[in-house]
Amino acid sequence: MHDFCLSIPYGLMLVGGGLLGYIKKGSIASLGGGAASGLVLIIAGYLSLNAFGKRKNSYLALILETVCAAILTSVMGQRYVETSKFMPAGLVAGISALMTLFYLYKLATGGNHLPTKAE
């Protein structure tokens, strides 16, 4: 599986969660954090998708995705430990931890596997 296949939906989920937090609780922090991290992931996924279309790997995109997911894991994991509330902190920390592992795997294995030329 390619990183952009998960990064773009993951980013959209974060943007949606930030908007939902703002709508339900009026939380500006939720809106800012969700929108900022989600947009970074969507942009990184888009960069990776474009590079893949050119038969290249975008290590910049993979590094951005990894750092963003790791930061979210740390911040939301800490918030979960402090509040013991699964929604949203535990959920976001769990998904972000899985995404961090996925991105680290992609980095360790050389990025997206590019298709061979059909001749």
Side-chain angles (χ1 to χ4, degrees):
M1 178 161 296
H2 307 297
D3 64 307
F4 53 82
C5 294
L6 295 178
S7 295
I8 295 170
Y10 175 42
L12 290 170
M13 178 201 71
L14 292 169
V15 170
L19 283 170
L20 190 63
Y22 178 72
I23 290 167
K24 288 184 100 179
K25 304 270 184 170
S27 173
I28 300 290
S30 225
L31 179 63
S37 57
L39 287 175
V40 166
L41 285 160
I42 292 167
I43 291 167
Y46 180 75
L47 289 173
S48 182
L49 177 61
N50 278 345
F52 185 77
K54 296 175 185 171
R55 302 179 51 77
K56 296 180 180 181
N57 269 307
S58 176
Y59 292 103
L60 171 64
L62 263 173
I63 290 168
L64 275 172
E65 293 161 343
T66 305
V67 168
C68 189
I71 290 170
L72 279 168
T73 301
S74 175
V75 169
M76 297 307 275
Q78 183 178 8
R79 184 168 295 157
Y80 174 70
V81 168
E82 290 171 357
T83 65
S84 297
K85 291 184 179 178
F86 182 72
M87 286 299 288
L91 180 66
V92 174
I95 292 171
S96 297
L98 291 173
M99 292 303 294
T100 301
L101 292 173
F102 172 71
Y103 295 137
L104 289 171
Y105 168 78
K106 295 305 283 183
L107 282 169
T109 59
N112 294 318
H113 296 286
L114 303 171
T116 56
K117 282 188 177 179
E119 294 183 39

